[in-house]
Amino acid sequence: MAEILVLVDHADGAVRKPALELLTLARRIGEPSAVVLGAGDAAAGIAAKAAEYGAAKVYTADAAEFADLLVVPKVDALTQIAKAVNPAAVLVTSSGEGKEIAARVALRLGSGIITDAVDLEAGADGTPIATQSVFAASFQVKSKVTHGAPVITVKPNAAAPEAAPAAGAAEAVSVEFTGNAAKVTSRTPRVSSGRPELTEAAIVVSGGRGVGAADGFGVVEELADALGAAVGASRAAVDAGWYPHSNQVGQTGKQVSPQLYIAAGISGAIQHRAGMQTSKTIVAINKDEEAPIFELVDYGVVGDLFDVLPQLTGEVKARKG
């Protein structure tokens, strides 16, 4: 089977869920090989996790450059590994950093790139075919690269991670760093809310202008915590200063594609829809029955979110016992 390189995203010694999704998707189009960069003492555990999800090989590289410099060291490593093994495709998570890495790698390899794929399949000739949502998620298209090894970034939640234990033989590789990278001068850890990362969460509960004020997000957060969900916000709510910009969902915020998206008090302007329209199931609560959000929902509730959300939270808690 053709070798598929998967860049494994990890943090604090643990493999991030989107990387496991990539390994699952890679098995549809070939034989996954994981690339683990800058993991330090956690490399062995990360390699074992990658093997658990189908990685037949695990390429590892560790150096101070991965921690001290931005993006370029990972580009150097992934490019050099790709040139050495000539893979059928290179898969990277569709994050801000992931898409920059993918673009630079594609340029160095002279290959085509596809970004923000929501599904992958093998074409008749074995070439990977990616499904993308385009024009603010109004259409879905199937695309393939016609020159070089395809470099494809895939959105989180594109597939459910499925274990498939493989050999996972680890191979340490040395990297020739090119330099010319921005240097990290300091780091300030983000204060954890205890909730899932917004772009990776299986469930997202978002509030909009309808919450009325910053305090109004309390009912949104209570439902999110009952569901084990992330909290999102519309641009209107963020611009009003009711919720942090890091939680904004939309064309100028973060794009999410969870299994369940609950929009509370959000009208559904195109700017917001562009960031969540690929969600698998969409539920909206809004007092205005003419709100555009109802055009794309699977389930809609016309009502006051301050009446509906507490009842929903109570029901969730009751069913969870």
Side-chain angles (χ1 to χ4, degrees):
M1 295 180 69
E3 187 169 2
I4 309 296
L5 286 184
V6 175
L7 180 60
V8 175
D9 193 11
H10 56 86
D12 300 324
V15 178
R16 300 181 76 101
K17 178 172 168 281
L20 303 180
E21 297 169 7
L22 288 185
L23 289 166
T24 300
L25 287 169
R27 299 201 303 270
R28 299 181 186 176
I29 56 177
E31 185 174 71
S33 289
V35 178
V36 179
L37 306 175
D41 295 337
I46 292 173
K49 190 70 172 179
E52 182 184 342
Y53 281 81
K57 298 177 184 176
V58 181
Y59 301 103
T60 64
D62 193 33
E65 282 83 352
F66 293 118
D68 296 341
L69 303 175
L70 292 176
V71 179
V72 174
K74 292 181 180 179
V75 174
D76 293 336
L78 190 55
T79 301
Q80 289 170 36
I81 293 170
K83 286 182 176 180
V85 305
N86 192 27
V90 179
L91 305 185
V92 182
T93 300
S94 263
S95 61
E97 181 185 74
K99 285 190 276 192
E100 182 173 356
I101 290 171
R104 290 173 179 246
V105 169
L107 181 62
R108 292 194 189 184
L109 294 177
S111 297
I113 182 172
I114 295 173
T115 59
D116 291 334
V118 296
D119 198 9
L120 288 178
E121 61 187 281
D125 59 355
T127 302
I129 297 176
T131 300
Q132 296 168 283
S133 294
V134 299
F135 296 112
S138 298
F139 298 91
Q140 283 200 333
V141 298
K142 292 185 182 293
S143 310
K144 70 176 183 178
V145 169
T146 58
H147 183 76
V151 180
I152 304 172
T153 75
V154 182
K155 281 189 173 184
N157 291 308
E162 297 176 3
E171 177 182 335
V173 297
S174 58
V175 180
E176 294 183 10
F177 296 107
T178 58
N180 299 320
K183 183 176 178 61
V184 178
T185 58
S186 66
R187 285 187 171 87
T188 302
R190 185 173 61 186
V191 177
S192 174
S193 66
R195 301 186 182 101
E197 168 63 32
L198 181 59
T199 57
E200 301 175 11
I203 305 174
V204 174
V205 183
S206 287
R209 193 190 304 275
V211 304
D215 292 346
F217 268 90
V219 293
V220 175
E221 293 177 332
E222 288 173 6
L223 176 58
D225 291 341
L227 291 169
V231 175
S234 71
R235 178 175 176 175
V238 169
D239 286 349
W242 298 344
Y243 223 68
H245 181 269
S246 58
N247 293 76
Q248 182 184 332
V249 174
Q251 196 165 24
T252 56
K254 293 182 177 177
Q255 296 188 4
V256 300
S257 188
Q259 298 298 315
L260 172 63
Y261 187 86
I262 300 177
I266 296 175
S267 65
I270 189 64
Q271 198 281 143
H272 186 77
R273 293 168 63 152
M276 46 66 72
Q277 198 161 327
T278 56
S279 303
K280 308 304 183 293
T281 301
I282 301 172
V283 178
I285 301 99
N286 201 296
K287 289 192 294 186
D288 180 8
E289 63 181 20
E290 301 297 328
I293 192 75
F294 288 126
E295 297 174 2
L296 71 151
V297 302
D298 297 284
Y299 302 96
V301 179
V302 178
D304 189 330
L305 68 91
F306 291 103
D307 292 332
V308 176
L309 293 193
Q311 293 182 62
L312 181 54
T313 301
E315 185 66 20
V316 170
K317 290 180 177 179
R319 296 199 177 202
K320 291 174 71 174

